[in-house]
Amino acid sequence: MEEAKMHVVIIGGSLTGLMHGIAIKRLGHDVTILEQHHSSTREGQAAGIVTMEHSHSFLSRHDLLQDQPYAVNCSSVQILRKDLKVKHEFQRPMKMSSWNVLYYRFRANFDGLESSYCTHVPKESREVGNAVYDQGKRASEVEVIDDKVQIQVEDTIKKSTSTLSGDLVLVSDGSASQMRRLLQPQLKHSYAGYVAWRGTVIESSVSDETRSIFQNKTTIHATEGGYVALYTIPGENGSLGAGKRLLNYVWYTNIPADSPELKEAMTDSTGQQHHHTLPIGKMSRDVWEKQRNLAHRILPPPFAELVDKTTQPFISAISDIDVSQAVHFGGKLLFVGDALMPFRPHVACSTNQAALNATLVEKLLAREIDLATYERQVLDPDGFDVVVALGNIGMIPSSNSLGLTVVSIDAIFLALSAIALAIRLNSRRLTGHRLCLNDYLALLAWVFAAALVSTAVSAVSQGAGQHIQHVNPTNIPKMLQGFAAAETTWILSNTAIKTSILHFYLTLFSVNRRFRILDFGLIGIVVLFGLGAILQTFLLCRPFAKTWRPELSGTCGSLVWSVIATSLVNVLVDISIIILPMPMIWKLQMARWRKVALTLTFGLGLIVCTITITRLAIASRLTTHDFTYDLARLAIVTDLEPLLGIIVACAPLFPPTFKAFKDHIRKPQSTGTSARGFAKMPTRSTTYLDRQTSSDSYPLTGMRSGRNETRVTAPGDRNTPTHDNDTTGTDQAGGEPREIKVKRGWEIRTDVPRYQKDETV
């Protein structure tokens, strides 16, 4: 069945509106674009634009001028020091164009406008809808009447008002959208704390040395509190000839909000103050002279030369606004492009976002996706290759409170886990036990956890914890490389501590064959999962270096799903480790309150399990368009998981140290204290259980190798128990032996004959 022809009205005729108009027109629908600018001629908008994946895809499908190049090919990105030495360079082929070139190209495709940029416009090869580009028109109000969207239109030339009806309305009137203020007044712009000074200089007007430095490369130089990025774009009328092209730069500097400096910079030569962009050609001469002087003081000579030779500079105050609602009036009005979700300019995503939005609207109208899918994808554009974008353009550094939180939490829990290990080892010393495999595994887990923390600290120093707009581009590859290292150390630390816990279980409940089988099986799962997770980390991108160098050819799997998968398996393993010893504990013949205490001790793993579930929840919401901020949120729970696991694994071995410390406080004269510690090293024939005649509590430690049982005189007996394994303590009046036998199977009984052998658990 043939789809009914629609009349679509687009509010805003810049690049976003034109791309949507072209796509919808090619579907056979009629399109009217309302543009408040009075003329089709749009001079003085030669701002550079980096075209990326979605822009290239859109042009390959819809551009009728395929034989006419529209961009300068850039081979690589270089970071220069003040002395012009290359600090870092990586290969990243890109296409650099300008607003002028794309505007006239899109106009040629939309309504056939001929210009000096596009002198010959080919005819459409198939039937398309009607296309109208109506200038001097501003939409002031919208409402739905009888299933149609009624738009009140102001004619800014004739100073009159009329009404236009449409089946669908797209709002693409930019980051300062008037329609957004009308329909979502709660959304407010917030100044980001810095501005972008922009300008272009024709290649032939600069020195040969300067031209050679910037030839076919994107060049970035960082300054204190800012940076400047430069690349080559097409020249007048889209010329790509050497010497006729333009060197385009963007210089970001910090200017405090509400400061006299900001007010002065945003006030034009006529005294009018601007809030977002001061248009080209209107900058105050005094303001620009100050900026030129600053350039000569802090920028390398080639950059200062460009600033000095700029005749038509302009400035934009960088601001943020919350992501707005994409769909209104039941799908009859859609926000798109910067009107929906404005990106800061250094992310280089605005044109790419517009192309992706146009593709999604095209799919929506072709019924390839439903409205709910459209809204979800347009608000969370996973298709953005922002990591690649960050290789092109950099960010302004800012305060990093989230990063500081990551470092603080890591430092605290790394110290706490070290203290827990120290207590564990001291308890082994007090009870006369040699260190066994589970102790060494716990120590190994801490070493890997310390390495994990070091990767987090390094990532924070590179900008993790800051929003992606603020991160220096040179740090992105290092941050991604660190993420791969962090994932590996996280897996190793978790594997070591989980295996340590399971081996500790074996020392407690080894007499039960069924338990041993389950325990060894779970150890096998933990080790195999660890190996598999490490392989997944190294094979996620092929080649592996593409993990931190996205410009390399190859393929990468989904980082988000990788983190989700490892977190999900970890949750299941943690739950299994917590449940495994519970039946054994509740079969012990001891007071119920003691069973509860043991259950709580071993159940401390639920804390780790909660952290793992939190990691899973954070991972499920990870997005690529602000991954540097999300990475820090993920790092907090990622680092906490093994660190808390170490503390939980050591907790059952705390009692001997705590008891010795308590005895030291209460009876310091009887504990054999010295200046070097609160308890002496026991002799090899003495155990902690042997000396504990004043209490009926028992430490959670395994039996010594070669000892089948240890006897402790029951409370109230006056006899001091001997330390020989075959001697039983009795009371002075004679009678039957009164003793407690603590067996390897953790079966605790009273009044058991001296030499009875019972392996029952």
Side-chain angles (χ1 to χ4, degrees), residues 175 180 189 319-323 337-344 350 353 469:
S175 59
R180 185 174 58 217
H189 275 276
S319 60
D320 294 319
I321 193 168
D322 293 332
V323 174
D338 283 347
L340 168 67
M341 183 167 48
F343 283 94
R344 296 187 183 182
S350 290
Q353 176 197 26
Q469 300 94 330

Side-chain angles (χ1 to χ4, degrees), residues 161 201 204 385 464 524 537 596 642 687:
T161 303
V201 178
S204 59
D385 191 358
T537 300
V596 172
T687 69

